[in-house]
Amino acid sequence: MSVKTEKIQNSAAKGYFRPATRSIILSDRNNESETIYTLIHELAYAVLHNQEKMPQKEAALQRASVIEYQAEMTVYIVAHHFGLDTEEH
């Protein structure tokens, strides 16, 4: 998996995962804290919700709200473990 920093046009997104290329794109506008938070979030998304795993999940676990919740909870747990503040995110 690759991680790149790019200009994200016409979006407030801080980053995203590209399943087809198995790459994470982070916004070049992010500060250090946003970059760390977003990278953890997108890594969680890439591991938990990749193209191989999604078809194996029941329909209720494929809803966008569930997927985002799981990625956010992963960020919270990982950040808390390493003593990172996630309050402003």
Side-chain angles (χ1 to χ4, degrees), residues 24 36-49 53 57 65-86 89:
I24 294 173
I36 293 167
Y37 179 93
T38 305
L39 180 57
I40 296 168
H41 178 99
E42 297 306 330
L43 283 168
Y45 190 91
V47 171
L48 297 171
H49 310 116
K53 290 187 179 179
K57 294 184 179 196
S65 60
V66 173
I67 290 169
E68 280 303 306
Y69 179 77
Q70 290 174 338
E72 289 298 313
M73 289 300 96
T74 301
V75 172
Y76 176 79
I77 291 166
V78 171
H80 183 73
H81 175 80
F82 288 104
L84 304 172
D85 182 17
T86 61
H89 303 286

Side-chain angles (χ1 to χ4, degrees), residues 24-38:
I24 294 173
I25 307 303
L26 300 171
S27 173
D28 64 350
R29 296 183 311 263
N30 294 347
N31 63 37
E32 183 179 71
S33 176
E34 291 169 327
T35 296
I36 293 167
Y37 179 93
T38 305

